[in-house]
Amino acid sequence: MYSQLQCMDCGQQYPIDTVIYNCRACGGLLDVQHDLNTLRKTVTRDTFDQRLGTLEAPYNSGVWRYKELVYPDLDRSRIVSRPEGNTNLYRSPKLGQWAGVENLYLKHEGENPTGSFKDRGMTGGVTQANVLGMKRVACASTGNTSASLAAYATFGDLEGIVFFQDKHVALGKLAQAVAYGATCIQIAADFDRNLELVREVASRLGIYVLNSINPFRLEGQKTIIFELIQQLRWQVPDWIVCPGGNLGNSSSFGKALCELHQLGLIDRMPRLAIIQAEGANPLYRGYQRGFTEFEPVRAHTVATAIKIGNPVNYAKAVRTVRWTNGVVEEVSDQEIMDAKALIDRNGIGCEPASACSLAGTRKLVQTGVIKPHETIVGILTGHILKDPDATIAYHDGTLADIKAAYPNNLHRAEPSAEAISQILASEPLTET
Ligand code: F0G
């Protein structure tokens, strides 16, 4: 066997087919630990380069292209894949200039099948549900995980169950979960409480939990890193910048980078910058205190995807910051929405939480942490269509406490060529 489950704190190991989310001995978070010594002998950059562009499953997926580093022992007939990944890496000189760096790339994870990076983890988690013979899968979600779970569950002939907060869930995400046929439960509790509830209910009823506490989710999410480094022809950027909510994604990035380094597939570690919303910033607060203590917060932010005050992967994210000599920054809702408006206006587009990557890069340049000549890859985590309400409210000036720096006002005209011509004649030329 190449892999087993291993507690990140006490090292206790469990067979890979154990249904377990925390260490039975100490309560610590679990990793899927691969036998890197054996893999080192067989896995090279060529292994993955030869699969680029293939039409054959499972290697046509941007997750399963890296099967040896995701789930080497897996019988491929068990894989549930849409297929995901293969997302674009955009070089964006204009947005780079705004942020203050020469080389800015944005990797758009909103280009996944259900419109967010969650699909990479979900193919891992639903595949493991299949391996384990589970019939029902569930998650609590701020929206994207539920959309992804709903799609992958039904695609893999499983029953999907999602727990939502009864407000503040972006319309696009809610619509997806309903449409894909999951059992959708709206609960008068925030994400953090819903995550406790889903775990309690799942253990009572024998349902498999697919939140990012599930380590197979994180194995899939690692492939964002594998793919972006492969897209850069195995050259490592100086910084990778991503939003942080429940901290699954950033945790998986740390593990991915360590594994690539230990396997000799990259020659140095990039630094990771995790960006939180000011109103949902427990990791940032911990970072400010040298991670000596952890204190959950009551979360508030316009970026509802990351409205999380008690992130389940906190300890793994701290480990990632240490492994990558990383930093944690916070940005305001104003900064998030203005950065989003520019990403949108440049034709790339994203949902609010994703814009933390650009807003955070700019702030870290301003504070001198990121240097202008360094190469940055920002991760855009979700599609522009996920949260149309926030987008429209920003542009028409009705978003509470936010004054749009880059509004695109909707015009209204009488149905006459005269009226329309007047609007077009007075329209100023925009530079951005
Ligand atoms: N960006 C988007 C668009 C998200 O949906 C999320 C998380 C994040 C960033 C943060 O990622 O949790 O791994 O730190 N959304 C989860 C959900 C919580 O339920 O969809 P993280």
Side-chain angles (χ1 to χ4, degrees):
M1 290 293 265
Y2 279 107
S3 320
Q4 47 206 336
L5 295 169
Q6 183 172 310
C7 173
M8 68 171 281
D9 292 329
C10 74
Q12 177 77 32
Q13 295 184 330
Y14 303 89
I16 191 112
D17 56 357
T18 318
V19 180
I20 186 175
Y21 312 102
N22 286 92
C23 177
R24 287 186 193 127
C26 76
L29 296 169
L30 301 173
D31 288 312
V32 181
Q33 194 60 47
H34 304 300
D35 176 0
L36 295 182
N37 285 333
T38 306
L39 289 173
R40 192 177 294 116
K41 294 179 196 132
T42 50
V43 173
T44 64
R45 292 175 179 177
D46 261 2
T47 315
F48 306 125
D49 282 346
Q50 278 165 10
R51 294 172 186 163
L52 283 175
T54 183
L55 300 174
E56 299 298 323
Y59 300 131
N60 57 346
S61 154
V63 171
W64 299 106
R65 176 157 76 245
Y66 310 97
K67 180 174 177 292
E68 289 80 355
L69 306 186
V70 173
Y71 202 153
D73 297 315
L74 181 66
D75 168 357
R76 63 167 80 173
S77 69
R78 298 303 180 110
I79 293 176
V80 181
S81 170
R82 281 284 304 269
E84 46 293 314
N86 293 310
T87 60
N88 286 300
L89 182 67
Y90 299 95
R91 184 158 184 277
S92 185
K94 277 193 203 167
L95 294 172
Q97 194 180 19
W98 182 77
V101 290
E102 285 157 32
N103 277 314
L104 176 74
Y105 294 87
L106 294 172
K107 181 151 179 70
H108 207 327
E109 288 298 303
E111 295 172 352
N112 270 292
T114 75
S116 84
F117 73 96
K118 303 288 181 182
D119 294 340
R120 292 189 187 254
M122 205 51 73
T123 182
V126 170
T127 294
Q128 182 64 3
N130 220 359
V131 169
L132 297 171
M134 305 298 279
K135 298 284 173 253
R136 298 206 281 178
V137 292
C139 70
S141 177
T142 57
N144 279 324
T145 304
S146 61
S148 184
L149 180 145
Y152 278 78
T154 189
F155 199 68
D157 287 330
L158 304 175
E159 184 190 335
I161 303 160
V162 299
F163 289 29
F164 287 114
Q165 189 173 357
D166 58 355
K167 46 186 185 289
H168 306 311
V169 176
L171 197 60
K173 306 173 189 182
L174 188 60
Q176 283 178 291
V178 171
Y180 287 128
T183 303
C184 300
I185 310 175
Q186 292 191 302
I187 303 163
D190 63 9
F191 170 84
D192 300 297
R193 175 69 186 130
N194 279 339
L195 186 50
E196 289 170 6
L197 284 170
V198 82
R199 296 190 64 182
E200 201 180 315
V201 173
S203 93
R204 263 189 213 197
L205 303 182
I207 300 168
Y208 194 49
V209 177
L210 283 181
N211 277 98
S212 56
I213 185 94
N214 184 316
F216 293 92
R217 286 268 318 277
L218 300 200
E219 288 309 293
Q221 281 169 211
K222 288 190 319 192
T223 61
I224 298 174
I225 295 292
F226 300 156
E227 195 173 270
L228 82 83
I229 290 180
Q230 187 176 26
Q231 284 168 313
L232 291 172
R233 314 288 192 275
W234 303 100
Q235 298 305 302
V236 177
D238 296 303
W239 290 91
I240 295 169
V241 187
C242 69
N246 215 16
L247 302 175
N249 211 26
S250 35
S251 297
S252 77
F253 287 8
K255 186 168 187 284
L257 289 165
C258 276
E259 288 172 352
L260 288 182
H261 199 237
Q262 283 173 34
L263 291 169
L265 298 178
I266 55 174
D267 50 16
R268 67 185 174 97
M269 292 283 276
R271 297 182 72 186
L272 188 70
I274 304 172
I275 315 298
Q276 294 207 293
E278 262 175 20
N281 63 355
L283 185 71
Y284 174 75
R285 287 170 181 236
Y287 175 74
Q288 293 292 91
R289 299 185 201 124
F291 294 128
T292 49
E293 58 195 280
F294 167 63
E295 211 183 296
V297 304
R298 258 192 97 76
H300 290 283
T301 169
V302 69
T304 52
I306 51 173
K307 193 166 143 302
I308 295 174
N310 189 11
V312 74
N313 288 298
Y314 184 85
K316 282 187 180 175
V318 171
R319 179 178 74 173
T320 284
V321 171
R322 294 195 169 123
W323 277 345
T324 62
N325 187 22
V327 301
V328 186
E329 186 53 273
E330 61 172 5
V331 289
S332 66
D333 282 0
Q334 177 79 52
E335 290 167 316
I336 290 173
M337 290 309 291
D338 286 335
K340 169 180 152 52
L342 289 180
I343 294 167
D344 295 351
R345 186 173 284 191
N346 273 265
I348 295 174
C350 66
E351 75 154 74
S354 308
C356 283
S357 298
L358 181 64
T361 299
R362 186 174 204 234
K363 193 159 177 187
L364 289 168
V365 172
Q366 281 166 354
T367 53
V369 177
I370 292 181
K371 307 283 181 278
H373 65 271
E374 290 181 311
T375 299
I376 320 297
V377 178
I379 310 298
L380 301 181
T381 45
H383 197 280
I384 188 174
L385 291 175
K386 286 282 191 174
D387 193 349
D389 292 325
T391 304
I392 295 293
Y394 174 87
H395 288 289
D396 73 12
T398 55
L399 203 55
D401 302 324
I402 287 181
K403 175 141 183 20
Y406 309 103
N408 183 18
N409 300 313
L410 258 169
H411 300 279
R412 278 184 185 79
E414 296 298 321
S416 78
E418 177 63 19
I420 296 168
S421 302
Q422 256 180 23
I423 291 172
L424 296 180
S426 61
E427 188 68 343
L429 285 173
T430 45
E431 279 288 305
T432 318

Short mmCIF file of all heavy atoms in Angstrom, two decimals, residues 82 113-114 146-148 150-152 154 175-182:
data_model
loop_
_atom_site.label_atom_id
_atom_site.label_comp_id
_atom_site.label_asym_id
_atom_site.label_seq_id
_atom_site.Cartn_x
_atom_site.Cartn_y
_atom_site.Cartn_z
N ARG A 82 -15.74 14.68 -13.52
CA ARG A 82 -16.61 15.36 -14.50
C ARG A 82 -16.01 15.60 -15.91
O ARG A 82 -16.82 15.77 -16.83
CB ARG A 82 -17.02 16.71 -13.93
CG ARG A 82 -18.14 16.66 -12.90
CD ARG A 82 -19.47 16.45 -13.54
NE ARG A 82 -19.75 17.46 -14.53
CZ ARG A 82 -20.38 18.62 -14.33
NH1 ARG A 82 -20.83 18.89 -13.15
NH2 ARG A 82 -20.58 19.49 -15.30
N PRO A 113 -15.98 22.45 -13.39
CA PRO A 113 -17.34 22.11 -13.85
C PRO A 113 -18.48 22.80 -13.11
O PRO A 113 -19.46 23.18 -13.74
CB PRO A 113 -17.41 20.59 -13.67
CG PRO A 113 -16.01 20.14 -13.70
CD PRO A 113 -15.15 21.25 -13.21
N THR A 114 -18.40 22.97 -11.80
CA THR A 114 -19.50 23.67 -11.13
C THR A 114 -19.13 25.09 -10.75
O THR A 114 -19.81 25.74 -9.95
CB THR A 114 -20.04 22.92 -9.87
OG1 THR A 114 -19.12 23.08 -8.79
CG2 THR A 114 -20.25 21.44 -10.15
N SER A 146 -21.41 23.03 -1.47
CA SER A 146 -22.70 22.35 -1.63
C SER A 146 -23.03 22.19 -3.11
O SER A 146 -23.55 21.15 -3.52
CB SER A 146 -23.79 23.12 -0.91
OG SER A 146 -23.90 24.40 -1.45
N ALA A 147 -22.74 23.20 -3.91
CA ALA A 147 -22.99 23.09 -5.36
C ALA A 147 -22.18 21.94 -5.94
O ALA A 147 -22.68 21.13 -6.72
CB ALA A 147 -22.63 24.40 -6.05
N SER A 148 -20.93 21.86 -5.51
CA SER A 148 -20.05 20.82 -6.02
C SER A 148 -20.48 19.44 -5.52
O SER A 148 -20.59 18.48 -6.29
CB SER A 148 -18.61 21.14 -5.57
OG SER A 148 -17.72 20.23 -6.11
N ALA A 150 -23.41 18.53 -4.56
CA ALA A 150 -24.69 18.15 -5.17
C ALA A 150 -24.46 17.56 -6.56
O ALA A 150 -25.03 16.53 -6.91
CB ALA A 150 -25.60 19.38 -5.25
N ALA A 151 -23.58 18.18 -7.33
CA ALA A 151 -23.32 17.69 -8.69
C ALA A 151 -22.61 16.34 -8.67
O ALA A 151 -23.02 15.40 -9.35
CB ALA A 151 -22.48 18.71 -9.44
N TYR A 152 -21.55 16.24 -7.89
CA TYR A 152 -20.75 15.01 -7.90
C TYR A 152 -21.52 13.85 -7.27
O TYR A 152 -21.36 12.70 -7.69
CB TYR A 152 -19.41 15.23 -7.21
CG TYR A 152 -18.40 15.87 -8.13
CD1 TYR A 152 -18.44 17.23 -8.41
CD2 TYR A 152 -17.43 15.11 -8.76
CE1 TYR A 152 -17.55 17.82 -9.29
CE2 TYR A 152 -16.51 15.69 -9.64
CZ TYR A 152 -16.58 17.03 -9.90
OH TYR A 152 -15.68 17.60 -10.78
N THR A 154 -24.82 13.25 -7.31
CA THR A 154 -25.79 12.68 -8.25
C THR A 154 -25.09 12.05 -9.46
O THR A 154 -25.49 11.00 -9.96
CB THR A 154 -26.87 13.71 -8.66
OG1 THR A 154 -27.89 13.06 -9.39
CG2 THR A 154 -26.32 14.87 -9.43
N ALA A 175 -28.96 27.92 -6.09
CA ALA A 175 -29.69 27.40 -7.26
C ALA A 175 -29.05 26.11 -7.76
O ALA A 175 -29.75 25.15 -8.11
CB ALA A 175 -29.69 28.46 -8.36
N GLN A 176 -27.72 26.06 -7.75
CA GLN A 176 -27.06 24.84 -8.24
C GLN A 176 -27.41 23.64 -7.37
O GLN A 176 -27.74 22.57 -7.87
CB GLN A 176 -25.53 25.04 -8.21
CG GLN A 176 -24.99 25.88 -9.34
CD GLN A 176 -23.48 26.04 -9.19
OE1 GLN A 176 -23.00 26.71 -8.28
NE2 GLN A 176 -22.73 25.43 -10.08
N ALA A 177 -27.32 23.83 -6.05
CA ALA A 177 -27.56 22.69 -5.14
C ALA A 177 -28.97 22.17 -5.29
O ALA A 177 -29.21 20.96 -5.33
CB ALA A 177 -27.28 23.11 -3.69
N VAL A 178 -29.94 23.10 -5.42
CA VAL A 178 -31.33 22.69 -5.60
C VAL A 178 -31.48 21.97 -6.94
O VAL A 178 -32.06 20.89 -7.02
CB VAL A 178 -32.27 23.93 -5.54
CG1 VAL A 178 -33.69 23.55 -5.93
CG2 VAL A 178 -32.24 24.55 -4.14
N ALA A 179 -30.91 22.57 -7.98
CA ALA A 179 -31.09 22.01 -9.32
C ALA A 179 -30.47 20.62 -9.46
O ALA A 179 -31.03 19.74 -10.11
CB ALA A 179 -30.48 22.96 -10.35
N TYR A 180 -29.31 20.41 -8.83
CA TYR A 180 -28.64 19.11 -8.96
C TYR A 180 -29.34 18.04 -8.10
O TYR A 180 -28.95 16.88 -8.13
CB TYR A 180 -27.17 19.21 -8.53
CG TYR A 180 -26.27 19.94 -9.50
CD1 TYR A 180 -25.44 20.97 -9.08
CD2 TYR A 180 -26.20 19.54 -10.84
CE1 TYR A 180 -24.59 21.63 -9.95
CE2 TYR A 180 -25.34 20.19 -11.73
CZ TYR A 180 -24.53 21.23 -11.28
OH TYR A 180 -23.69 21.85 -12.15
N GLY A 181 -30.33 18.45 -7.34
CA GLY A 181 -31.18 17.46 -6.67
C GLY A 181 -30.73 17.03 -5.29
O GLY A 181 -31.21 16.03 -4.77
N ALA A 182 -29.81 17.78 -4.68
CA ALA A 182 -29.42 17.43 -3.31
C ALA A 182 -30.57 17.71 -2.36
O ALA A 182 -31.44 18.54 -2.65
CB ALA A 182 -28.20 18.25 -2.89
#
